[in-house]
Amino acid sequence: MSNNIVEITDENFERLISGDKPALIDFWAAWCGPCQMLKPVIEEVAEELKDKVITAKLNVDECERIALQYNVMSIPTLVLFVNGAEKARRVGYSPKTAIIDFVNQNV
């Protein structure tokens, strides 16, 4: 995994979404084909936007409580958090340019 991507756990989630920078969270699972297709795209996005947002991955099988709390029903789902609150959401595979536009329009 890229050095610019944080792995979410139950312990670090709240601190991460409430930090000074907006947080782009990729809700994913190892068995999800589209999630695997999105993985290299997220790594590129994390590198390009490293000064603007924190990019993180949340495995829905390992952090099921958080996924349920935020009503993540389909994966991959990208959720952008600003000041601890959900600002925007994007479901399904997206190309790099669409994700960057999504972030830029919402931060």
Side-chain angles (χ1 to χ4, degrees):
M1 189 178 317
S2 166
N3 290 338
N4 296 313
I5 298 177
V6 177
E7 190 70 36
I8 295 288
T9 64
D10 287 330
E11 291 76 31
N12 70 1
F13 178 75
E14 290 297 328
R15 178 177 41 84
L16 189 116
I17 67 167
S18 299
D20 294 338
K21 278 187 183 178
L24 177 65
I25 311 296
D26 175 17
F27 288 79
W28 72 287
W31 49 263
C32 167
C35 298
Q36 297 305 319
M37 290 172 42
L38 188 61
K39 183 179 178 182
V41 175
I42 292 298
E43 289 176 355
E44 291 178 23
V45 168
E47 176 63 30
E48 191 163 323
L49 297 179
K50 65 184 174 192
D51 296 328
K52 189 173 211 167
V53 297
I54 294 171
T55 303
K57 294 182 75 64
L58 184 146
N59 185 319
V60 297
D61 292 330
E62 295 173 4
C63 299
E64 186 177 342
R65 179 189 60 78
I66 297 169
L68 290 171
Q69 177 182 348
Y70 286 94
N71 296 314
V72 174
M73 300 297 170
S74 298
I75 53 174
T77 293
L78 299 176
V79 180
L80 183 65
F81 290 90
V82 178
N83 297 320
E86 180 177 336
K87 170 79 182 221
R89 177 180 295 227
R90 187 173 187 95
V91 178
Y93 176 85
S94 297
K96 176 182 161 186
T97 55
I99 295 171
I100 289 172
D101 288 346
F102 165 75
V103 170
N104 286 334
Q105 290 170 3
N106 290 289
V107 294

